[in-house]
Amino acid sequence: MLSWESPLWLLALIVLPLLRLLHWINNRKAAIPVSSLLFWRTSGAVSQPFWQGAKVDPIWLLRAMIFGAMILALAGPVWVNHDQRKVRVWFDDSYSLQTTESASNQSRLALAIDALINKLQEVESIQAKVYSLRNPGYMPLLLDTQNKSDWRQQLSNWVTSQSESESPPLAGQPMVNVETWLVTDGADPELTQAIKALPIHQIIRVGNETENGAVTLLGARPSLQKFDIWQGIIRVNHFGDSGSNRTIELWYGNQMREQWQVRMVPEQSREVGFTVEYAQTNPAPLMVRLTPTDSLQEDDQLSLSFPLPTSTRIHGNCPATLMAAINVHPFLRTDGVNDEQAGLDIVCGDIAVEGAGAILRFHQADGVQKIDTAPVWSEFAGALGDLRLPPHLMRQVRSSADNRHGTAVLLSDSIPLITLATATHSVVDCYIDMGYEEFARQAEYPVLFAGLVDLATGRSHLSPIAVIARKVEASRVKPLPLSLADANPEDVLQTASRDLAAYLIFLAMLLLLVDAVLERTRRTESRQP
């Protein structure tokens, strides 16, 4: 397709008839003296008007072409190839696209797909590559005019909702030399800042809803007095321009335990506490939900599963003091545990044990030895590193199969008292005499045993904090003002254009050279007798 950068210069072409007149007048004035007119034929063209000349002078045509080429060059002719328009589309897959618009009773996601398809169909031939706004690594979708009838189905299958995505919008993607569109609802504050510095050429925007409430946090932990009682906290947020009356419901399994009537005001965050009894056998999930539902139903509830007790097998003859510590541990289940279910094997002695779970081995004494220097924890002790053990109340065991291996966790006089090996699964070896009654009467004894269980299993049992939360800003649905950077689609479309002015200038110069040669030849011939 041919376009002109300065089309007003084309008006200068009306001067061509004037040049033809001047050329005709100049030819009439030309007189060639001869000795006789005998044998000359009378020329009828001399008496004809200039526009009815029987024969067109090639010199005139040459100069008309020179003048025309210069005028066309000044008009800036550009050949633009619009065979297929290529567009990069950033599709907003933020959580707010799940919002249901009350006016149409459709989600913003469905409205965005419709709006994009309608915009693409306005172009006769187009190839659009659709990228995820929040997940640049997600496989892009190619939409081509040839499969126009499949666009809706392809977009519906491709698009996803990134509710917990931490990636900033438009992260790490070059956006140069490509016409770029953005499909969004404009509810993400990060996006409104990002597009100010990026060459977005066109925005396709959907959504008008402004109000939304969300459950943004649910957390719980065992009570310090009773481990079968859990205490927790619920956080709800409200966004928009007006307040709302909501009901917070706390469900344990299929039973509603508590509910609170709250009045939420714009931009408010509110927390409520609760207490719930925990059933260690077949514990049910804990769920919080807001009623009635609003425009974004997906963030009106959160569900939390309690950590299950660790299934534990006991091997060997453990001393009574150690068995007492095992039995009172609230998160070790020892009844009816088979080999496949065991997550922890507690071994007393040097018995060989096979299992897929962790192993906590307490070596039994063929002899004991006093510990003279204060034990020192290594960097691998974790939370146990804060426990101070009294050396005068502890004994070190010596067994016939004393082959201490693994990484030292606790040492005394460079001798490992506790080791940790993690080749296939965690194995903790304890060389402290856990049957020593004077040590068992100390407060450090149950703390040491609980810490060894945590070290072997890799989880905290006595202070588990179960938390589930969602990103607060992801629940904003109010569209924000969007301002584009200074981006012109023509800047990227010129990559498919060709400037013809240079070719016309070269043609004019070449014709001028031909005209000069012909004029010189003509004058030379006129001087000859």
Side-chain angles (χ1 to χ4, degrees):
M1 177 180 176
L2 186 63
S3 62
W4 306 90
E5 294 182 354
S6 304
L8 292 179
W9 277 103
L10 297 176
L11 296 176
L13 293 176
I14 62 177
V15 182
L16 280 175
L18 178 60
L19 294 180
R20 176 72 174 107
L21 176 62
L22 294 176
H23 191 271
W24 180 76
I25 295 174
N26 183 63
N27 283 344
R28 286 175 59 88
K29 292 180 179 179
I32 302 176
V34 295
S35 59
S36 173
L37 294 179
L38 184 63
F39 304 118
W40 281 64
R41 289 185 303 174
T42 303
S43 175
V46 175
S47 60
Q48 294 178 351
F50 72 95
W51 62 83
Q52 296 180 358
K55 184 178 181 181
V56 179
D57 189 350
I59 299 297
W60 143 248
L61 285 178
L62 184 62
R63 292 174 180 173
M65 291 175 61
I66 295 172
F67 179 79
M70 296 301 295
I71 294 300
L72 293 178
L74 290 172
V78 177
W79 181 261
V80 182
N81 186 6
H82 285 311
D83 292 342
Q84 189 173 58
R85 188 172 173 183
K86 295 186 178 180
V87 176
R88 170 180 288 185
V89 180
W90 289 102
F91 198 98
D92 190 349
D93 49 5
S94 301
Y95 197 52
S96 58
L97 264 290
Q98 304 298 320
T99 303
T100 300
E101 293 291 324
S102 57
S104 61
N105 199 28
Q106 288 184 288
S107 69
R108 289 182 179 177
L109 182 59
L111 294 175
I113 291 175
D114 291 341
L116 175 58
I117 291 176
N118 293 337
K119 199 67 180 177
L120 291 173
Q121 289 177 343
E122 293 178 3
V123 183
E124 181 179 353
S125 180
I126 193 169
Q127 185 183 82
K129 205 166 188 179
V130 187
Y131 291 83
S132 166
L133 184 69
R134 280 289 184 176
N135 186 8
Y138 189 60
M139 181 68 67
L141 174 67
L142 185 64
L143 300 178
D144 196 280
T145 307
Q146 297 177 355
N147 57 357
K148 186 181 298 186
S149 60
D150 300 330
W151 283 355
R152 190 179 307 278
Q153 186 64 37
Q154 288 179 328
L155 278 169
S156 300
N157 295 337
W158 173 85
V159 72
T160 59
S161 174
Q162 308 291 331
S163 59
E164 303 297 333
S165 174
E166 295 294 334
S167 301
L170 308 171
Q173 292 294 315
M175 301 184 63
V176 295
N177 296 328
V178 178
E179 183 180 356
T180 305
W181 296 1
L182 172 64
V183 183
T184 181
D185 61 352
D188 188 350
E190 289 183 325
L191 177 62
T192 59
Q193 296 298 322
I195 66 172
K196 291 181 179 179
L198 295 172
I200 305 294
H201 303 100
Q202 188 167 167
I203 291 182
I204 302 173
R205 189 165 179 170
V206 297
N208 295 304
E209 295 291 332
T210 60
E211 308 302 311
N212 183 48
V215 181
T216 55
L217 183 139
L218 172 60
R221 63 163 297 168
S223 169
L224 297 179
Q225 285 76 33
K226 296 184 67 178
F227 284 101
D228 57 348
I229 300 296
W230 282 61
Q231 297 172 330
I233 187 172
I234 302 166
R235 185 182 68 202
V236 294
N237 291 75
H238 183 76
F239 308 98
D241 299 326
S242 59
S244 175
N245 294 317
R246 307 298 294 273
T247 300
I248 305 174
E249 297 178 351
L250 176 65
W251 291 75
Y252 184 64
N254 56 2
Q255 296 181 348
M256 187 173 66
R257 296 297 180 90
E258 288 189 71
Q259 66 176 3
W260 300 266
Q261 304 290 334
V262 294
R263 172 66 182 175
M264 302 296 294
V265 299
E267 303 301 323
Q268 182 185 16
S269 176
R270 187 162 181 173
E271 293 83 24
V272 294
F274 65 89
T275 301
V276 65
E277 186 176 353
Y278 168 71
Q280 287 199 6
T281 57
N282 300 320
L286 196 66
M287 184 186 70
V288 174
R289 69 183 183 188
L290 282 175
T291 58
T293 59
D294 51 23
S295 59
L296 184 56
Q297 300 182 18
E298 283 74 7
D299 63 1
D300 286 343
Q301 71 178 40
L302 279 177
S303 182
L304 179 67
S305 296
F306 289 109
L308 296 174
T310 300
S311 300
T312 306
R313 293 185 303 176
I314 301 174
H315 306 267
N317 296 319
C318 297
T321 53
L322 182 58
M323 286 300 303
I326 295 173
N327 292 330
V328 299
H329 195 294
F331 293 100
L332 294 182
R333 184 171 66 88
T334 58
D335 297 334
V337 179
N338 56 40
D339 294 348
E340 291 77 15
Q341 295 175 334
L344 174 65
D345 288 289
I346 297 179
V347 183
C348 295
D350 299 323
I351 304 173
V353 175
E354 294 184 359
I359 297 176
L360 174 56
R361 184 185 300 276
F362 295 96
H363 291 267
Q364 293 180 332
D366 293 334
V368 295
Q369 178 180 343
K370 293 178 63 177
I371 298 176
D372 298 323
T373 59
V376 178
W377 295 100
S378 72
E379 59 181 350
F380 303 99
L384 277 172
D386 298 327
L387 177 63
R388 182 180 179 275
L389 296 174
H392 62 283
L393 298 176
M394 299 171 60
R395 298 292 184 270
Q396 174 188 179
V397 301
R398 292 288 187 181
S399 65
S400 56
D402 195 349
N403 183 19
R404 306 187 184 188
H405 59 278
T407 303
V409 176
L410 180 67
L411 301 97
S412 176
D413 285 334
S414 301
I415 299 175
L417 300 179
I418 298 174
T419 62
L420 171 65
T422 57
T424 56
H425 49 268
S426 295
V427 178
V428 175
D429 289 277
C430 179
Y431 298 92
I432 298 174
D433 184 8
M434 300 298 285
Y436 187 39
E437 293 188 1
E438 189 172 356
F439 177 44
R441 289 194 290 267
Q442 308 302 314
E444 291 83 357
Y445 186 93
V447 177
L448 175 62
F449 172 74
L452 292 175
V453 171
D454 292 349
L455 182 65
T457 58
R459 55 172 278 202
S460 176
H461 286 76
L462 294 184
S463 58
I465 301 177
V467 177
I468 184 170
R470 60 168 44 98
K471 191 177 179 182
V472 175
E473 295 298 321
S475 294
R476 293 185 180 273
V477 301
K478 179 181 178 180
L480 301 174
L482 296 178
S483 58
L484 293 177
D486 186 15
N488 185 353
E490 298 298 327
D491 296 339
V492 294
L493 292 178
Q494 285 184 4
T495 56
S497 303
R498 184 179 295 275
D499 190 353
L500 304 180
Y503 299 97
L504 292 172
I505 293 173
F506 177 78
L507 176 61
M509 294 177 64
L510 184 62
L511 294 177
L512 281 172
L513 181 61
V514 174
D515 180 68
V517 173
L518 291 179
E519 183 65 23
R520 183 174 180 180
T521 303
R522 190 175 184 179
R523 291 181 180 180
T524 302
E525 292 177 350
S526 65
R527 292 195 187 102
Q528 291 179 357

